[in-house]
Amino acid sequence: MSFENLNLDERLLEAVDACGFTKPTPIQEQAIPVILEGGDLMGSAQTGTGKTAAFVLPILHQIINREPVNKSIGPRCLVVAPTRELAQQVEKDAVDYSKFIKFTQGSVVGGVSYGPQIQMLKRPVDMLIATPGRLLDHMGQGRIDFSRLEFLVLDEADRMLDMGFIGDIRKIVGAVPEKRQTLLFSATLEGPILRMAQSFLKEPESISLTTNTKNHEQIEQRIHWADNVSHKHDLLKHYVAEEEMSQAVIFTSTKRGADELVNQLNKRGQKAAVLHGDLRQSARKKTMDDMHHGKIKLLVATDIAARGLDFKNISHVINFDLPNTAEDYIHRVGRTGRASATGTAISLVCRKDWDYLVSIERLTGKKLKRDNIEGLEAISKEPKNRSTLGNAGRSWKPSRRGSIKRRRR
Ligand code: ADP
Ligand code: MG
């Protein structure tokens, strides 16, 4: 299967070619024909499998091939995404794929000034990409005209639910025209996501390519047991000095922890920068650009900040702390090995991370490999009394939300 088989406009094929894509990914291959037919769709596939192009390309194709409903202002397509980084990445992709056609896009996200957004909303725009909070803010002020909206996309719907945006999404869906094509993308299509899809989509097709993807098979995942934080620092120093490491994202559980870690790394002469929710938008943008251009080798980030990050050259993900949900672990690991490249994920685990490791191994259904670095061996031992895998798959059932909650201590 090649892109040529998908009946997309020549100029879109040229743009895809300019991006260096040789063939569609499985979700693209399956979703593009359905979307071109005009039906609603819910699609799930692992992070990093090209879901953005799967909806942007067929929407671009339809937008250039038919007249807008009216000549009024406002968007023809609205994409709602959970975080500003993700929204900006979708916008960047839309820019890349539309470079040989006449097409306009804009974003409405928090953390940046209102002025340019207000100006943009006074004009027609083909695609508007938004985060829920700022979008509702503008909607509340009567600044958005949805009268010519034809497409609504809910991207990373699972994350939007996790982040508590369900009420916001309901308001947004209620404000756009009934007659529209609605697309929903998510890493999973279970429980609450399915219910959300059923209430917002009309007789949707469902494409689910998530089987067996939880393990991130193309990513080598290991842990190293650590005695304490200072031991973690020594281990980190060892891993970042390894030759195979081109760029890494290092995760910490708190913003303060991220700031401290980046200071330590900089003191040791490492090119490291931090990304978390307290930073001004301009600082975040600079960091993202520096990563894209390879000016930074190590990015220290918290979970929220790293959601949707997509840097092609990330060879390693390092969990300085383990996240407190197994799903966040899967999302973190997905920052490496993007678009079929391989990657390595290393977690530094000490006593306080132990419960989280248990959850992760239960969710992925496999025991992670244990590293042991000569000269840096732990003095303490990993607890043995509780098998991490136990009878995984038999005794473990996903909670109703489909996620593993923090275990009680
Ligand atoms: P997802 O939304 O599924 O997490 P993205 O849409 O962010 O994934 O895509 C992940 C990466 O794969 C991006 O860097 C994107 O440019 C790249 N990509 C998308 N489609 C293809 C393709 N057909 N061939 C190669 N790379 C692709
Ligand atoms: Mg995506």
Side-chain angles (χ1 to χ4, degrees), residues 57-309:
L57 289 170
I59 289 176
L60 293 179
H61 180 94
Q62 296 189 75
I63 284 187
I64 55 180
N65 281 292
R66 70 176 184 230
E67 289 295 313
V69 184
N70 63 42
K71 294 240 152 42
S72 170
I73 59 167
R76 293 181 69 179
C77 170
L78 171 67
V79 179
V80 188
T83 65
R84 50 189 156 179
E85 274 79 18
L86 195 63
Q88 283 161 343
Q89 239 147 25
V90 172
E91 187 182 9
K92 186 183 156 290
D93 285 2
V95 169
D96 286 347
Y97 306 144
S98 65
K99 70 178 178 193
F100 301 119
I101 59 174
K102 199 165 151 283
F103 185 83
T104 54
Q105 67 283 310
S107 67
V108 156
V109 296
V112 297
S113 57
Y114 283 78
Q117 296 182 357
I118 293 172
Q119 289 312 310
M120 188 243 314
L121 293 171
K122 288 180 180 159
R123 291 190 293 266
V125 60
D126 289 316
M127 182 180 278
L128 181 68
I129 301 128
T131 49
R134 181 63 69 93
L135 181 67
L136 280 173
D137 198 346
H138 285 294
M139 285 165 60
Q141 300 295 317
R143 295 194 192 113
I144 307 193
D145 182 344
F146 282 129
S147 65
R148 48 184 231 137
L149 190 110
E150 299 161 61
F151 302 92
L152 173 66
V153 182
L154 304 172
D155 195 16
E156 304 258 6
D158 52 333
R159 191 58 168 194
M160 293 207 275
L161 277 189
D162 284 351
M163 289 169 77
F165 288 145
I166 182 68
D168 290 356
I169 292 172
R170 202 163 277 137
K171 282 184 204 143
I172 295 163
V173 174
V176 301
E178 272 276 313
K179 188 169 176 308
R180 58 164 198 267
Q181 185 175 10
T182 310
L183 312 172
L184 177 147
F185 287 88
S186 173
T188 63
L189 286 179
E190 297 165 344
I193 300 286
L194 199 59
R195 284 196 291 281
M196 170 170 160
Q198 280 157 351
S199 66
F200 299 149
L201 279 64
K202 284 196 199 94
E203 297 168 16
E205 284 256 357
S206 170
I207 299 175
S208 182
L209 303 176
T210 50
T211 17
N212 258 340
T213 52
K214 278 183 177 160
N215 289 333
H216 286 306
E217 299 292 351
Q218 83 283 20
I219 297 167
E220 181 176 343
Q221 299 171 58
R222 310 194 304 256
I223 75 152
H224 198 298
W225 188 253
D227 293 321
N228 47 39
V229 175
S230 113
H231 187 203
K232 285 189 176 184
H233 280 289
D234 293 339
L235 289 166
L236 180 65
K237 193 172 161 190
H238 168 89
Y239 284 115
V240 301
E242 281 189 330
E243 247 173 62
E244 323 75 89
M245 177 167 298
S246 52
Q247 266 188 329
V249 182
I250 304 170
F251 285 95
T252 60
S253 47
T254 63
K255 295 171 197 170
R256 227 186 102 219
D259 284 331
E260 280 170 13
L261 186 56
V262 88
N263 285 340
Q264 292 239 13
L265 289 164
N266 285 332
K267 266 191 216 142
R268 286 207 219 107
Q270 293 283 352
K271 286 183 188 146
V274 72
L275 197 68
H276 60 54
D278 284 353
L279 298 175
R280 286 215 328 275
Q281 182 59 11
S282 55
R284 292 159 78 106
K285 178 149 189 322
K286 176 165 188 316
T287 301
M288 303 271 285
D289 288 347
D290 286 350
M291 273 299 278
H292 275 298
H293 297 126
K295 287 187 198 157
I296 295 171
K297 180 175 169 185
L298 307 174
L299 181 69
V300 181
T302 55
D303 287 294
I304 295 282
R307 176 68 185 182
L309 283 189

Side-chain angles (χ1 to χ4, degrees), residues 3 21 23 28 46-52 310 312 338-339:
F3 277 106
F21 302 168
K23 62 180 181 52
Q28 292 164 0
Q46 186 186 349
T47 322
T49 53
K51 292 191 285 297
T52 318
D310 180 24
K312 288 207 174 62
R338 304 291 283 170

